[in-house]
Amino acid sequence: MRPINERTRDFCARFNLRIPILLAPMAGACPPSLTVAVANAGGLGACGALLMKPDEILAWGNEVRAGTNGAFQLNLWIPDPPPRRDPAHEARVRDFLAQWGPAVPPDAGDSTPPDFAAQCEALLAVGPPIVSSVMGLYPPAFVAKLKARGIAWFANVSTVAEARVAEAAGADVIVAQGMEAGGHRGCFDAAKAERELVGLFALLPAVVDAVTLPVVATGGVADGRGVAAALMLGASAVQIGTGFLRCPEAKLNAAWADALGKAAPEGTMLSRAFSGRAGRAIATDYARAAAAPDAPHPAPYPVQRALTAAMRTAAGKAGDVQRMQAWAGQSAALARAEPAAALAAHIWQEAQSLMG
Ligand SMILES: Cc1cc2nc3c(=O)[nH]c(=O)nc-3n(C[C@H](O)[C@H](O)[C@H](O)COP(=O)(O)O)c2cc1C
């Protein structure tokens, strides 16, 4: 394995960074202000564009470029095949959800996410230095367009097998996501999310050994100790999600931000009850009740996301974290409520002093 300082130096030089700290793409939690702060500190900014329409993606890019010359990544989910609908089962889920929020209308599950192909075109129109994928791989034709424009492709993986497939498909960097990670697990096969739970300490060196590409570590890293450990295990850079969520520039709902600061690692859980896809969230009253044996199984993604929308909106307005989609990684309590630029610099200084 090459020495840490060579790996981080080459990574930073290639992607125009001053520090090997990446903001994680987080759908719904990546306002331009957070990217501007991290990019101005020399790290990499990020946008999880999953829920954004093309004009919103373009506006995000414009706002970021008005605030920084720094680098950033735009991220999309690779869509699953359309879900199999089961109206009788959805009715049971709607009844269950009515105990937690407003009544859910029968057609609530019909709403669909923004068009993926149009989002891909918007990514190209923004023209960021990096585009990333999660939940699978971009179609070869889109990969060819990225390469033709000199845009690097970062592929999020959660297993060694996924890392190998991503490298063969032309990814430029592998992002190894441990199961500690907050938010959705980036499994290519949604059905395997709970069975193939690999922690970052095991996943990272295995992925580093399996591919020749640079590897970024993500999942449960939120301070200098985690960054130093990830670099020791072979990463070239580290991507932090939950660790940035308490920064003022993240503009997170205050109840969620407060709960992050108090969440023990065992106080988070993997749940399909918000979207239908497995993701790690604070083990709130709703998340625990939805996992009880007598609760109806969540509907498939994205139907469950649509069914829970009314509850999530009401919870946000009420500041009630117990019904909120409060994504959180297992290191949530390490997240610090301080400005993001200072936090990024501080984490990197701490990591460097630990590494001598
Ligand atoms: C609120 C939230 C939203 C997320 N949304 C996305 C997303 O849209 N795309 C993606 O690739 N990963 C998403 N993730 C996962 C992160 O990119 C990253 O893997 C994770 O935050 C790393 O773990 P950590 O939270 O412990 O730092 C999300 C994570 C959080 C906390």
Side-chain angles (χ1 to χ4, degrees), residues 274-345:
F274 294 103
S275 71
R277 270 267 189 168
R280 186 170 296 283
I282 293 175
T284 57
D285 291 347
Y286 165 74
R288 283 186 286 111
D294 55 339
H297 261 288
Y301 180 90
V303 179
Q304 182 77 7
R305 186 198 289 282
L307 295 179
T308 58
M311 174 192 71
R312 291 184 284 111
T313 304
K317 283 190 186 142
D320 178 5
V321 74
Q322 297 302 333
R323 299 178 295 145
M324 246 178 235
Q325 179 177 272
W327 297 132
Q330 290 184 328
S331 296
L334 298 179
R336 291 161 61 143
E338 58 180 66
L343 180 59

Side-chain angles (χ1 to χ4, degrees), residues 91-140:
R92 287 196 291 281
V93 176
R94 287 191 285 107
D95 287 346
F96 177 75
L97 287 166
Q99 301 166 38
W100 294 90
V104 183
D107 63 351
D110 298 346
S111 92
T112 48
D115 179 64
F116 177 68
Q119 287 179 313
C120 285
E121 289 307 313
L123 260 47
L124 296 177
V126 175
I130 297 160
V131 157
S132 65
S133 56
V134 66
M135 313 297 188
L137 302 172
Y138 284 115

Side-chain angles (χ1 to χ4, degrees), residues 21-24 26 217-218 221-223 227 238-244 347:
I21 306 279
L22 284 52
L23 170 66
M26 295 185 281
T218 199
V221 179
D223 67 8
V227 171
V238 179
Q239 183 170 278
I240 298 175
T242 308
F244 279 117
I347 289 175

Side-chain angles (χ1 to χ4, degrees), residues 50-285:
L50 164 73
L51 304 168
M52 293 161 73
K53 298 200 176 77
D55 57 335
E56 294 171 317
I57 296 173
L58 295 174
W60 189 97
N62 289 338
E63 196 174 332
V64 164
R65 286 205 166 108
T68 182
N69 292 323
F72 59 89
Q73 60 167 309
L74 296 179
N75 165 277
L76 282 178
W77 284 34
I78 309 306
D80 289 330
R84 270 227 313 272
R85 302 290 296 270
D86 177 346
H89 178 69
E90 282 177 32
R92 287 196 291 281
V93 176
R94 287 191 285 107
D95 287 346
F96 177 75
L97 287 166
Q99 301 166 38
W100 294 90
V104 183
D107 63 351
D110 298 346
S111 92
T112 48
D115 179 64
F116 177 68
Q119 287 179 313
C120 285
E121 289 307 313
L123 260 47
L124 296 177
V126 175
I130 297 160
V131 157
S132 65
S133 56
V134 66
M135 313 297 188
L137 302 172
Y138 284 115
F142 184 67
V143 174
K145 287 184 183 176
L146 294 177
K147 305 253 174 216
R149 287 165 173 78
I151 299 174
W153 172 24
F154 284 22
N156 188 95
V157 308
S158 60
T159 64
V160 173
E162 290 173 357
R164 288 204 175 99
V165 180
E167 180 172 54
D172 296 291
V173 167
I174 301 295
V175 181
Q177 186 199 44
M179 62 91 182
E180 303 90 337
H184 286 99
R185 284 183 50 62
C187 311
F188 291 11
D189 179 350
K192 293 184 178 163
E194 289 87 355
R195 187 163 64 77
E196 295 186 344
L197 282 170
V198 189
L200 192 62
F201 251 69
L203 180 67
L204 185 54
V207 169
V208 167
D209 289 348
V211 299
T212 57
L213 298 173
V215 178
V216 171
T218 199
V221 179
D223 67 8
R225 293 173 294 182
V227 171
L231 297 177
M232 291 281 183
L233 290 172
S236 295
V238 179
Q239 183 170 278
I240 298 175
T242 308
F244 279 117
L245 284 180
R246 295 183 69 210
C247 299
E249 298 92 339
K251 301 177 180 163
L252 208 68
N253 187 295
W256 178 5
D258 288 350
L260 289 176
K262 296 177 195 138
E266 64 273 25
T268 70
M269 64 185 277
L270 214 55
S271 172
R272 290 183 183 248
F274 294 103
S275 71
R277 270 267 189 168
R280 186 170 296 283
I282 293 175
T284 57
D285 291 347

